[in-house]
Amino acid sequence: MNRNISSTLVLALLLAVSLLAVGEPIVIGHRGAAGYLPEHTLAGYAFAYALGADYIEPDLVMTKDGVLICLHDIYLERTTDVEEVFPDRRRPDGHWYAIDFTLEEIRELSVHERCRDSGQPYFPGRFPVGKSNFPVPTFTEMIELVQGLNKSTGRQVGIYPELKRPSWHQERGYDMAVRLLEVLDGYGYRGPEARVFIQCFEPDTLKRLRHELGTELPLVQLISVASFTLTTRRGLEGIAEYADGVGPDKRIIEGNPRFVVWAHELGLLVHPWTFRADSLPQGYSSLEQELERFLVDYGVDGVFTDFPDVAVRVVGELAITTP
Ligand code: G3P
Ligand code: CA
Protein backbone atom coordinates (compact mmCIF):
# COMPACT_ATOMS: atom_id res chain seq x y z
CA MET A 1 0.00 0.00 0.00
CA ASN A 2 1.20 3.49 -0.81
CA ARG A 3 2.92 4.97 2.28
CA ASN A 4 0.87 8.19 2.13
CA ILE A 5 -2.41 6.28 1.94
CA SER A 6 -1.47 3.97 4.82
CA SER A 7 -0.42 6.86 7.10
CA THR A 8 -3.69 8.63 6.24
CA LEU A 9 -5.62 5.51 7.21
CA VAL A 10 -3.69 5.25 10.50
CA LEU A 11 -4.44 8.88 11.29
CA ALA A 12 -8.13 8.39 10.49
CA LEU A 13 -8.20 5.31 12.72
CA LEU A 14 -6.54 7.17 15.59
CA LEU A 15 -9.01 10.04 15.22
CA ALA A 16 -11.94 7.62 15.25
CA VAL A 17 -10.59 5.87 18.35
CA SER A 18 -10.01 9.17 20.16
CA LEU A 19 -13.54 10.35 19.32
CA LEU A 20 -14.92 7.13 20.74
CA ALA A 21 -12.82 7.52 23.89
CA VAL A 22 -13.99 11.02 24.75
CA GLY A 23 -17.37 12.61 25.04
CA GLU A 24 -18.91 15.94 25.80
CA PRO A 25 -20.43 16.43 29.24
CA ILE A 26 -24.14 15.69 29.27
CA VAL A 27 -26.89 18.17 30.10
CA ILE A 28 -29.68 16.70 32.23
CA GLY A 29 -33.01 18.52 32.23
CA HIS A 30 -33.73 18.64 35.98
CA ARG A 31 -37.38 17.76 36.61
CA GLY A 32 -37.83 18.71 32.93
CA ALA A 33 -37.01 22.35 32.36
CA ALA A 34 -38.07 23.52 35.81
CA GLY A 35 -36.75 27.04 35.30
CA TYR A 36 -39.40 27.64 32.66
CA LEU A 37 -42.36 25.31 33.25
CA PRO A 38 -43.75 23.52 36.32
CA GLU A 39 -41.59 20.54 37.29
CA HIS A 40 -42.55 17.04 36.16
CA THR A 41 -45.03 17.93 33.46
CA LEU A 42 -45.06 16.65 29.90
CA ALA A 43 -44.84 20.28 28.77
CA GLY A 44 -41.70 20.72 30.86
CA TYR A 45 -40.14 17.53 29.54
CA ALA A 46 -40.91 18.53 25.94
CA PHE A 47 -39.41 21.97 26.55
CA ALA A 48 -36.23 20.44 28.01
CA TYR A 49 -36.03 18.27 24.92
CA ALA A 50 -36.46 21.28 22.64
CA LEU A 51 -33.81 23.22 24.56
CA GLY A 52 -31.30 20.52 23.73
CA ALA A 53 -31.01 18.43 26.90
CA ASP A 54 -29.19 15.12 26.45
CA TYR A 55 -31.15 13.41 29.23
CA ILE A 56 -34.42 14.31 30.95
CA GLU A 57 -35.09 13.56 34.59
CA PRO A 58 -38.33 12.21 36.02
CA ASP A 59 -38.50 11.71 39.80
CA LEU A 60 -40.78 8.76 40.55
CA VAL A 61 -43.26 7.78 43.27
CA MET A 62 -46.14 5.30 43.26
CA THR A 63 -49.91 5.60 43.29
CA LYS A 64 -52.25 3.51 45.44
CA ASP A 65 -52.79 1.17 42.49
CA GLY A 66 -49.08 0.71 41.93
CA VAL A 67 -48.43 3.03 38.98
CA LEU A 68 -45.14 4.92 38.72
CA ILE A 69 -45.90 8.62 38.35
CA CYS A 70 -43.60 11.59 37.84
CA LEU A 71 -43.48 13.53 41.09
CA HIS A 72 -40.65 14.77 43.31
CA ASP A 73 -42.34 14.41 46.70
CA ILE A 74 -44.24 11.53 48.22
CA TYR A 75 -46.76 14.30 48.97
CA LEU A 76 -48.99 16.06 46.45
CA GLU A 77 -49.71 19.44 48.01
CA ARG A 78 -46.53 21.31 47.16
CA THR A 79 -46.89 20.95 43.39
CA THR A 80 -50.58 20.22 42.72
CA ASP A 81 -54.04 21.58 43.56
CA VAL A 82 -54.89 18.49 45.66
CA GLU A 83 -56.08 20.64 48.61
CA GLU A 84 -58.88 22.02 46.42
CA VAL A 85 -59.81 18.81 44.59
CA PHE A 86 -59.64 16.43 47.58
CA PRO A 87 -59.90 18.65 50.71
CA ASP A 88 -60.86 15.70 52.94
CA ARG A 89 -58.04 13.36 52.00
CA ARG A 90 -55.32 14.96 54.12
CA ARG A 91 -53.69 12.68 56.66
CA PRO A 92 -53.46 13.78 60.33
CA ASP A 93 -49.84 14.80 59.72
CA GLY A 94 -51.06 17.47 57.30
CA HIS A 95 -49.95 15.83 54.05
CA TRP A 96 -51.79 14.46 51.01
CA TYR A 97 -49.81 11.32 50.10
CA ALA A 98 -49.62 10.24 46.46
CA ILE A 99 -49.81 6.63 47.64
CA ASP A 100 -53.32 7.28 49.04
CA PHE A 101 -54.67 8.11 45.57
CA THR A 102 -55.41 5.93 42.54
CA LEU A 103 -54.15 7.00 39.14
CA GLU A 104 -57.72 7.86 38.17
CA GLU A 105 -57.85 10.29 41.10
CA ILE A 106 -54.42 11.70 40.35
CA ARG A 107 -55.71 12.44 36.85
CA GLU A 108 -58.05 15.04 38.36
CA LEU A 109 -55.15 17.14 39.63
CA SER A 110 -53.33 20.01 38.00
CA VAL A 111 -49.62 20.62 38.59
CA HIS A 112 -48.40 24.07 39.53
CA GLU A 113 -45.10 25.68 40.40
CA ARG A 114 -43.59 24.34 43.62
CA CYS A 115 -44.99 26.33 46.56
CA ARG A 116 -44.14 26.70 50.22
CA ASP A 117 -46.69 25.98 52.97
CA SER A 118 -47.52 29.69 52.85
CA GLY A 119 -48.63 29.24 49.23
CA GLN A 120 -45.77 31.37 47.93
CA PRO A 121 -43.72 29.91 45.06
CA TYR A 122 -40.15 28.83 45.81
CA PHE A 123 -39.02 30.73 42.71
CA PRO A 124 -41.22 33.83 42.25
CA GLY A 125 -39.78 34.61 38.82
CA ARG A 126 -40.83 31.32 37.28
CA PHE A 127 -44.07 30.18 35.61
CA PRO A 128 -47.10 31.76 37.31
CA VAL A 129 -48.84 29.54 39.88
CA GLY A 130 -52.22 28.19 38.82
CA LYS A 131 -52.02 29.23 35.18
CA SER A 132 -52.69 26.84 32.31
CA ASN A 133 -53.31 23.16 33.06
CA PHE A 134 -50.70 20.47 33.56
CA PRO A 135 -51.69 16.89 34.49
CA VAL A 136 -49.42 14.66 36.58
CA PRO A 137 -47.69 12.37 34.03
CA THR A 138 -47.13 8.66 34.44
CA PHE A 139 -43.63 7.33 33.87
CA THR A 140 -44.77 5.52 30.74
CA GLU A 141 -46.23 8.73 29.31
CA MET A 142 -42.91 10.43 29.94
CA ILE A 143 -41.00 7.68 28.17
CA GLU A 144 -43.40 7.68 25.24
CA LEU A 145 -42.97 11.44 24.89
CA VAL A 146 -39.17 11.20 24.80
CA GLN A 147 -39.13 8.18 22.51
CA GLY A 148 -41.70 9.81 20.24
CA LEU A 149 -39.57 12.94 19.95
CA ASN A 150 -36.53 10.78 19.33
CA LYS A 151 -38.36 9.26 16.38
CA SER A 152 -39.63 12.54 14.97
CA THR A 153 -36.36 14.48 15.44
CA GLY A 154 -33.80 11.75 14.90
CA ARG A 155 -32.05 12.64 18.15
CA GLN A 156 -31.31 10.10 20.88
CA VAL A 157 -32.22 11.83 24.13
CA GLY A 158 -32.04 9.63 27.21
CA ILE A 159 -34.01 9.42 30.43
CA TYR A 160 -32.66 9.73 33.96
CA PRO A 161 -35.32 8.35 36.37
CA GLU A 162 -34.93 8.71 40.14
CA LEU A 163 -36.62 6.33 42.56
CA LYS A 164 -37.91 8.47 45.42
CA ARG A 165 -37.97 6.84 48.87
CA PRO A 166 -38.04 3.20 47.61
CA SER A 167 -37.58 1.73 51.11
CA TRP A 168 -40.55 3.80 52.34
CA HIS A 169 -42.63 2.38 49.49
CA GLN A 170 -41.32 -1.14 50.19
CA GLU A 171 -42.48 -0.91 53.83
CA ARG A 172 -45.97 -0.27 52.47
CA GLY A 173 -45.86 -3.20 50.06
CA TYR A 174 -44.81 -1.43 46.87
CA ASP A 175 -41.69 -2.64 45.03
CA MET A 176 -40.61 0.35 42.97
CA ALA A 177 -37.34 -1.20 41.79
CA VAL A 178 -38.99 -4.23 40.22
CA ARG A 179 -41.68 -2.11 38.59
CA LEU A 180 -39.08 0.33 37.26
CA LEU A 181 -37.11 -2.47 35.58
CA GLU A 182 -40.31 -3.94 34.10
CA VAL A 183 -41.26 -0.61 32.57
CA LEU A 184 -37.77 0.10 31.25
CA ASP A 185 -37.49 -3.36 29.73
CA GLY A 186 -40.89 -2.94 28.12
CA TYR A 187 -39.66 0.20 26.39
CA GLY A 188 -36.40 -1.34 25.20
CA TYR A 189 -33.96 -0.01 27.77
CA ARG A 190 -31.62 -2.98 28.18
CA GLY A 191 -27.91 -3.42 28.90
CA PRO A 192 -25.10 -1.08 29.88
CA GLU A 193 -25.28 1.04 26.71
CA ALA A 194 -28.96 1.96 27.09
CA ARG A 195 -29.72 5.69 27.09
CA VAL A 196 -30.83 5.63 30.70
CA PHE A 197 -29.34 6.30 34.13
CA ILE A 198 -31.19 4.99 37.17
CA GLN A 199 -30.52 7.22 40.17
CA CYS A 200 -31.33 6.87 43.85
CA PHE A 201 -30.19 8.22 47.22
CA GLU A 202 -30.51 4.78 48.87
CA PRO A 203 -27.39 2.60 48.38
CA ASP A 204 -29.26 -0.59 49.29
CA THR A 205 -31.75 -0.06 46.47
CA LEU A 206 -28.98 0.40 43.91
CA LYS A 207 -27.11 -2.66 45.24
CA ARG A 208 -30.31 -4.67 44.96
CA LEU A 209 -30.89 -3.46 41.41
CA ARG A 210 -27.39 -4.54 40.43
CA HIS A 211 -26.84 -7.74 42.42
CA GLU A 212 -30.26 -9.20 43.26
CA LEU A 213 -32.33 -8.01 40.33
CA GLY A 214 -29.33 -8.30 38.01
CA THR A 215 -29.77 -5.18 35.93
CA GLU A 216 -26.91 -4.08 33.70
CA LEU A 217 -28.41 -0.63 33.18
CA PRO A 218 -26.24 2.34 34.28
CA LEU A 219 -26.74 3.18 37.97
CA VAL A 220 -25.97 6.47 39.72
CA GLN A 221 -25.57 6.89 43.46
CA LEU A 222 -26.99 10.23 44.58
CA ILE A 223 -25.11 11.83 47.46
CA SER A 224 -26.39 14.60 49.73
CA VAL A 225 -24.15 16.79 51.88
CA ALA A 226 -25.44 14.86 54.90
CA SER A 227 -24.01 11.56 53.61
CA PHE A 228 -20.39 12.31 54.47
CA THR A 229 -19.20 8.70 54.42
CA LEU A 230 -20.16 8.43 50.74
CA THR A 231 -18.05 11.47 49.87
CA THR A 232 -14.72 10.02 51.04
CA ARG A 233 -12.38 8.08 48.79
CA ARG A 234 -13.28 4.91 50.67
CA GLY A 235 -16.95 5.72 50.24
CA LEU A 236 -16.46 6.10 46.50
CA GLU A 237 -14.59 2.79 46.38
CA GLY A 238 -17.68 1.12 47.83
CA ILE A 239 -19.97 2.84 45.33
CA ALA A 240 -17.77 1.74 42.42
CA GLU A 241 -18.65 -1.87 43.28
CA TYR A 242 -22.27 -1.43 42.23
CA ALA A 243 -22.72 1.89 40.40
CA ASP A 244 -21.46 3.56 37.24
CA GLY A 245 -21.58 7.09 38.51
CA VAL A 246 -22.32 9.48 41.34
CA GLY A 247 -24.75 12.37 41.52
CA PRO A 248 -23.46 14.61 44.30
CA ASP A 249 -24.88 17.83 45.66
CA LYS A 250 -22.64 20.35 43.90
CA ARG A 251 -21.53 21.74 47.28
CA ILE A 252 -19.65 18.48 47.90
CA ILE A 253 -17.42 19.20 44.90
CA GLU A 254 -17.09 22.88 45.73
CA GLY A 255 -15.86 21.90 49.19
CA ASN A 256 -13.51 19.20 47.89
CA PRO A 257 -12.72 19.24 44.15
CA ARG A 258 -10.60 16.09 44.59
CA PHE A 259 -13.91 14.23 44.90
CA VAL A 260 -14.09 14.35 41.09
CA VAL A 261 -10.52 13.09 40.72
CA TRP A 262 -11.17 10.20 43.08
CA ALA A 263 -14.38 9.28 41.30
CA HIS A 264 -12.69 9.30 37.90
CA GLU A 265 -9.81 7.18 39.21
CA LEU A 266 -12.45 4.63 40.20
CA GLY A 267 -14.18 4.80 36.83
CA LEU A 268 -17.23 6.66 38.13
CA LEU A 269 -19.02 9.38 36.19
CA VAL A 270 -19.82 12.57 38.11
CA HIS A 271 -23.15 14.37 37.54
CA PRO A 272 -23.70 17.09 40.20
CA TRP A 273 -26.95 18.96 40.92
CA THR A 274 -28.63 21.41 40.74
CA PHE A 275 -27.60 24.38 38.60
CA ARG A 276 -30.07 27.27 38.63
CA ALA A 277 -29.84 30.73 37.09
CA ASP A 278 -32.23 32.11 39.70
CA SER A 279 -30.46 30.62 42.73
CA LEU A 280 -26.75 31.22 42.30
CA PRO A 281 -24.37 30.28 45.10
CA GLN A 282 -22.21 32.97 46.67
CA GLY A 283 -19.19 33.81 44.58
CA TYR A 284 -20.84 33.42 41.17
CA SER A 285 -22.33 36.22 39.11
CA SER A 286 -23.95 34.04 36.45
CA LEU A 287 -25.01 30.48 35.77
CA GLU A 288 -22.57 30.42 32.86
CA GLN A 289 -19.69 31.21 35.23
CA GLU A 290 -20.73 28.50 37.68
CA LEU A 291 -21.14 25.91 34.92
CA GLU A 292 -17.73 26.77 33.50
CA ARG A 293 -16.13 26.26 36.91
CA PHE A 294 -17.66 22.78 37.27
CA LEU A 295 -17.21 21.65 33.66
CA VAL A 296 -13.71 23.00 33.06
CA ASP A 297 -11.98 23.42 36.42
CA TYR A 298 -13.56 20.49 38.26
CA GLY A 299 -14.07 18.31 35.16
CA VAL A 300 -17.52 16.89 35.87
CA ASP A 301 -19.17 14.65 33.26
CA GLY A 302 -22.59 16.24 33.25
CA VAL A 303 -24.88 18.62 35.11
CA PHE A 304 -28.45 18.56 36.36
CA THR A 305 -29.93 21.95 35.56
CA ASP A 306 -33.30 23.73 35.62
CA PHE A 307 -32.04 25.75 32.63
CA PRO A 308 -30.92 23.21 29.99
CA ASP A 309 -30.53 25.86 27.28
CA VAL A 310 -27.82 27.66 29.26
CA ALA A 311 -25.85 24.47 29.92
CA VAL A 312 -26.17 23.34 26.29
CA ARG A 313 -24.78 26.69 25.18
CA VAL A 314 -21.93 26.63 27.69
CA VAL A 315 -20.94 23.07 26.76
CA GLY A 316 -21.03 23.99 23.09
CA GLU A 317 -19.00 27.16 23.52
CA LEU A 318 -16.37 25.52 25.64
CA ALA A 319 -16.11 22.55 23.26
CA ILE A 320 -15.23 20.47 26.26
CA THR A 321 -14.27 16.83 26.19
CA THR A 322 -14.04 14.57 29.20
CA PRO A 323 -12.01 11.42 29.65
O1 G3P B 1 -31.60 13.66 41.19
C1 G3P B 1 -30.68 14.69 41.24
C2 G3P B 1 -31.32 15.74 42.02
O2 G3P B 1 -32.53 15.96 41.38
C3 G3P B 1 -31.53 15.30 43.42
O3 G3P B 1 -32.25 16.21 44.08
O4 G3P B 1 -34.28 16.71 45.27
O5 G3P B 1 -34.01 17.58 42.99
O6 G3P B 1 -34.44 15.17 43.36
P1 G3P B 1 -33.83 16.41 43.91
CA1 CA C 1 -34.15 14.14 41.25
Side-chain angles (χ1 to χ4, degrees):
M1 188 185 296
N2 177 300
R3 179 175 292 201
N4 284 341
I5 294 175
S6 75
S7 47
T8 303
L9 281 174
V10 169
L11 279 174
L13 187 62
L14 284 173
L15 180 63
V17 169
S18 66
L19 284 173
L20 282 175
V22 298
E24 279 190 344
I26 60 168
V27 174
I28 306 148
H30 183 246
R31 310 184 194 174
Y36 303 107
L37 280 159
E39 66 184 57
H40 297 312
T41 58
L42 291 182
Y45 297 144
F47 203 52
Y49 194 108
L51 294 178
D54 301 297
Y55 283 78
I56 301 175
E57 184 210 29
D59 293 317
L60 301 174
V61 304
M62 281 193 125
T63 63
K64 186 176 185 177
D65 43 347
V67 180
L68 288 169
I69 56 170
C70 303
L71 201 71
H72 178 272
D73 305 340
I74 57 172
Y75 318 123
L76 288 158
E77 68 271 12
R78 291 182 189 139
T79 56
T80 77
D81 57 355
V82 69
E83 305 103 303
E84 293 156 32
V85 181
F86 296 105
D88 304 328
R89 299 280 291 277
R90 178 167 53 177
R91 286 198 195 180
D93 66 4
H95 294 298
W96 283 260
Y97 286 74
I99 209 166
D100 291 341
F101 293 82
T102 63
L103 179 61
E104 192 178 346
E105 290 171 327
I106 297 272
R107 295 284 193 205
E108 297 182 42
L109 304 178
S110 182
V111 178
H112 56 63
E113 271 293 316
R114 173 168 292 274
C115 288
R116 303 180 188 281
D117 290 343
S118 64
Q120 295 304 304
Y122 274 73
F123 298 97
R126 294 190 178 182
F127 199 88
V129 176
K131 298 297 183 185
S132 194
N133 183 32
F134 305 101
V136 176
T138 64
F139 183 36
T140 59
E141 288 167 344
M142 186 272 177
I143 292 173
E144 289 180 6
L145 176 80
V146 172
Q147 292 194 346
L149 286 168
N150 282 343
K151 180 169 184 285
S152 57
T153 66
R155 293 176 62 204
Q156 285 304 317
V157 171
I159 60 172
Y160 210 126
E162 178 186 351
L163 291 176
K164 284 292 186 192
R165 312 269 309 258
S167 58
W168 183 90
H169 283 84
Q170 189 95 40
E171 288 162 15
R172 288 153 182 81
Y174 294 87
D175 196 331
M176 297 183 84
V178 165
R179 186 63 195 132
L180 175 75
L181 293 183
E182 287 172 353
V183 172
L184 290 175
D185 187 71
Y187 281 93
Y189 296 96
R190 298 181 197 115
E193 305 302 325
R195 295 283 285 176
V196 61
F197 288 99
I198 299 174
Q199 47 164 339
C200 191
F201 278 105
E202 298 180 5
D204 286 347
T205 296
L206 292 173
K207 291 176 190 171
R208 179 169 173 248
L209 279 161
R210 179 68 83 223
H211 301 307
E212 186 185 322
L213 301 176
T215 187
E216 294 183 331
L217 294 172
L219 303 179
V220 169
Q221 176 66 63
L222 297 176
I223 309 176
S224 70
V225 286
S227 305
F228 175 75
T229 54
L230 295 179
T231 69
T232 64
R233 199 177 195 292
R234 179 163 296 193
L236 289 170
E237 285 170 4
I239 293 170
E241 290 177 10
Y242 60 86
D244 302 283
V246 286
D249 184 317
K250 63 187 181 183
R251 291 173 293 180
I252 292 168
I253 295 173
E254 199 79 275
N256 174 25
R258 285 194 60 76
F259 176 92
V260 181
V261 177
W262 295 338
H264 284 166
E265 286 172 355
L266 294 161
L268 292 166
L269 296 166
V270 183
H271 297 160
W273 40 273
T274 300
F275 293 85
R276 296 176 166 119
D278 49 3
S279 180
L280 291 172
Q282 267 196 330
Y284 293 103
S285 57
S286 70
L287 177 56
E288 287 86 345
Q289 184 192 29
E290 187 189 14
L291 287 166
E292 192 170 331
R293 173 70 57 81
F294 277 76
L295 292 166
V296 178
D297 299 345
Y298 300 152
V300 302
D301 306 288
V303 289
F304 285 87
T305 177
D306 289 359
F307 298 85
D309 53 331
V310 180
V312 167
R313 178 161 40 81
V314 169
V315 168
E317 286 173 359
L318 295 174
I320 298 163
T321 54
T322 55

